[in-house]
Amino acid sequence: QNKSANWFKQVAQRAEALGQQRLRVGVTGLSGAGKTTFITSLINQLENHRKGLLARRAPFDRLESVRWQRESVEQPFPYLESLSALSSNPARWPESTADLSRVVIDLRFQPQGLLRKVQPVKQLRLEILDYPGEWLLDLPLLQLDYGQWCEQMADWLEQEPRRSLAGPLRDQLLEVDPAAPADLQQLAELKAAWSDFLMRCRTEAGLSRNQPARFLQPGSDVAAEMLEFVPLLRANRHSIAPADSWFGICSGRFDYYRDFVVRAFYDEHFRHLDQQVLLVDMLGPMDAGEAALVDLRDAMEAVLSSFDYGRSGLLARLLRFRPRIRRLAFCATKVDKVSPEQQRAVQQCLEDLLLDRLAEVRHGGVEVRGLPLSAIRATRQEGDNLIAGLEGQDGWVRYRPGSIPAHLPQSLQLDSPELLPLRPPPGLHRSEPFPHYRMDDLVAWIIEGAQL
Ligand code: GDP
């Protein structure tokens, strides 16, 4: 009897496998873009689909059940930890993750139309892959050799603000003779100094293109000593040197990084995605000023190249496979920091910044949807003012957000919108939909990718 019960179970499982659709969605953005908060809110909105804005729109009116998978997910997204930070008192933002993580959610929909009585329920398995957007910044490394990378870094370090941020490190790197025997102790120190420098570029100057990306966002699959290399500023694409020289050691590790870290991410993860959500903190750079906007533009152009399938298969050649992503949601995040009337303008400024590159992505056959988003709304509106709590403080402040232009000026010079560090709203609970802006539109957009 046990045997036949097992057999039935297997048949049921197979039927389920046949009737079930899978949708693989990547979620990415640079560090601080809002990925962790977004995914937490996304699961929360689905779990509470009967109560929130979702309840009123198709196809969620046919959604019967939602199950977030807790077990047997490799590198699971820390949903419960994020919830507990948000619902603690005082509320805290969840810990950003610096690694890849996964979410699996099973959805069951009532079929629609005349045949709904005889059709089986529609099942959808949503698989979400959350990964640091910085990893996509390493895509250009696939076409560089170590000498070329050194030339590029020497170039970057000549220009402000990187030149000042690098300080004495630049001189130290200029002193190293690439052909001399490598001093591994000194190399380790230089690598630590390079990582520090990348961190300062990010935190002090708001720069986004900090290479190699895994120095700041290593992930769990890379052996630490393979990350021990730095650009040698006196080396170039014509350099040749013995294997145990500075150049020999660094170029060997660079090759490993390029071929087994960067390429492996594309081969093992990226190539399986059906659609992508790309989150961008546009308000931060608008507040920080022109240099941060220029760097965001350069970084996002680099990130968007992973979705640019138009240019005669250049990307397919580089990656050695043809990516299958057909839909991209491109979202300015945290727009609850400005007034509802300004939110579209923030998104517009972001799209202005990346006008050409977005046109290329569309031209390559990817459907792009732009949405200004707030995963968790921390402000309330009262007339022209916003009311919110400040991080690390009790009580409430009332403020009027600074101006946001309808379009991004060509000069990239703006009046700072004046942003405040807000804490999450009080009273968040797993069993209630979190307040948000346009998460329902985004969830609907994700689900549109399936036939239900
Ligand atoms: P990640 O590094 O991409 O995972 O970004 P996080 O999700 O950790 O977000 C970084 C920070 O941005 C958070 O700690 C919050 O301070 C802020 N943040 C994220 N989403 C929102 C939002 O919807 N509204 C507001 N006001 N702040 C947000």
Side-chain angles (χ1 to χ4, degrees):
Q1 207 205 335
N2 220 346
K3 228 177 180 178
S4 71
N6 263 338
W7 184 81
F8 273 115
K9 208 167 143 194
Q10 275 175 18
V11 171
Q13 276 170 354
R14 208 170 321 142
E16 202 173 282
L18 287 174
Q20 189 183 55
Q21 295 184 56
R22 280 171 88 187
L23 206 53
R24 282 173 285 204
V25 186
V27 171
T28 200
L30 301 174
S31 168
K35 298 179 289 296
T36 312
T37 311
F38 169 79
I39 291 177
T40 310
S41 176
L42 177 76
I43 305 173
N44 166 270
Q45 304 300 336
L46 281 170
E47 284 192 328
N48 293 291
H49 64 95
R50 284 178 218 286
K51 297 186 194 158
L53 292 172
L54 281 182
R56 275 177 260 139
R57 60 193 293 171
F60 301 97
D61 46 354
R62 290 188 285 116
L63 181 53
E64 282 193 332
S65 72
V66 172
R67 186 185 55 183
W68 165 66
Q69 281 217 14
R70 257 184 108 151
E71 267 105 38
S72 65
V73 176
E74 220 183 299
Q75 288 187 265
F77 175 80
Y79 180 47
L80 298 179
E81 288 85 339
S82 298
L83 282 174
S84 80
L86 287 164
S87 49
S88 61
N89 189 9
R92 284 177 288 115
W93 294 103
E95 205 65 52
S96 327
T97 42
D99 200 353
L100 168 161
S101 73
R102 289 189 181 78
V103 178
V104 177
I105 305 176
D106 287 322
L107 308 170
R108 288 164 66 97
F109 287 90
Q110 204 51 257
Q112 63 178 340
L114 288 175
L115 293 175
R116 69 180 171 274
K117 294 263 159 50
V118 293
Q119 275 184 345
V121 284
K122 301 259 184 181
Q123 307 199 42
L124 174 65
R125 168 162 288 190
L126 202 59
E127 296 178 13
I128 297 170
L129 184 78
D130 165 30
Y131 62 92
E134 280 80 2
W135 293 2
L136 299 179
L137 295 180
D138 278 338
L139 177 74
L141 294 186
L142 292 180
Q143 52 189 340
L144 296 182
D145 61 31
Y146 176 67
Q148 291 170 316
W149 185 63
C150 291
E151 286 176 24
Q152 194 181 69
M153 290 302 111
D155 209 39
W156 287 16
L157 283 193
E158 257 169 46
Q159 290 157 35
E160 292 300 349
R162 285 192 175 84
R163 191 176 172 128
S164 309
L165 286 165
L169 174 62
R170 181 166 172 273
D171 301 323
Q172 286 161 12
L173 290 171
L174 277 166
E175 266 163 35
V176 177
D177 173 4
D183 174 344
L184 293 184
Q185 177 62 35
Q186 195 191 346
L187 176 55
E189 286 161 20
L190 285 171
K191 141 89 212 272
W194 184 261
S195 303
D196 275 356
F197 157 67
L198 295 181
M199 186 57 91
R200 284 198 302 277
C201 288
R202 184 158 90 194
T203 53
E204 288 172 29
L207 300 182
S208 311
R209 274 180 316 161
N210 304 308
Q211 272 182 1
R214 301 272 186 143
F215 281 23
L216 293 183
Q217 232 85 40
S220 49
D221 55 346
V222 191
E225 85 262 13
M226 294 316 289
L227 293 181
E228 234 143 68
F229 61 94
V230 289
L232 298 172
L233 301 183
R234 275 157 65 187
N236 60 44
R237 68 190 69 195
H238 307 296
S239 301
I240 325 170
D244 63 353
S245 66
W246 282 92
F247 187 87
I249 299 278
C250 286
S251 73
R253 290 177 182 173
F254 175 88
D255 289 355
Y256 174 89
Y257 182 84
R258 181 192 58 203
D259 297 337
F260 294 100
V261 178
V262 180
R263 186 178 294 290
F265 169 72
Y266 282 95
D267 278 349
E268 287 164 27
H269 303 294
F270 189 82
R271 72 181 303 165
H272 303 296
L273 298 176
D274 303 306
Q275 47 195 43
Q276 176 71 49
V277 177
L278 179 51
L279 305 177
V280 188
D281 175 12
M282 179 64 180
L283 283 166
M286 284 176 94
D287 192 33
E290 191 189 343
L293 280 169
V294 168
D295 202 72
L296 177 72
R297 181 184 60 208
D298 293 347
M300 292 320 292
E301 285 188 349
V303 163
L304 284 170
S305 346
S306 290
F307 308 98
D308 179 2
Y309 309 139
R311 282 181 295 174
S312 63
L314 172 78
L315 188 64
R317 262 207 311 286
L318 212 57
L319 296 179
R320 304 189 199 133
F321 64 86
R322 207 162 265 288
R324 46 187 273 171
I325 292 170
R326 287 290 162 264
R327 309 174 75 225
L328 174 73
F330 187 61
C331 309
T333 53
K334 316 180 198 178
V335 295
D336 57 315
K337 293 186 171 195
V338 298
S339 71
E341 307 78 59
Q342 293 174 315
Q343 293 175 2
R344 294 267 171 208
V346 176
Q347 177 75 25
Q348 185 60 52
C349 287
L350 172 61
E351 293 182 24
D352 289 343
L353 187 69
L354 290 154
L355 200 64
D356 292 326
R357 194 46 64 93
L358 286 172
E360 279 164 23
V361 169
R362 288 197 172 97
H363 198 67
V366 177
E367 178 199 323
V368 181
R369 172 82 195 270
L371 266 183
L373 208 64
S374 167
I376 297 181
R377 179 153 49 93
T379 56
R380 272 182 299 133
Q381 197 188 11
E382 209 183 78
D384 286 344
N385 293 313
L386 295 177
I387 298 176
L390 295 186
E391 224 159 0
Q393 289 180 30
D394 293 334
W396 302 93
V397 292
R398 178 189 302 266
Y399 71 102
R400 190 183 290 231
S403 65
I404 303 278
H407 277 285
L408 195 66
Q410 208 91 44
S411 66
L412 301 186
Q413 277 165 10
L414 306 167
D415 295 336
S416 160
E418 278 177 80
L419 299 177
L420 298 169
L422 307 181
R423 61 169 192 257
L428 296 180
H429 191 276
R430 180 172 179 188
S431 310
E432 295 292 335
F434 297 163
H436 62 84
Y437 282 109
R438 298 182 199 85
M439 281 300 286
D440 53 328
D441 291 337
L442 193 98
V443 176
W445 176 87
I446 289 178
I447 302 288
E448 270 167 33
Q451 262 97 49
L452 293 167

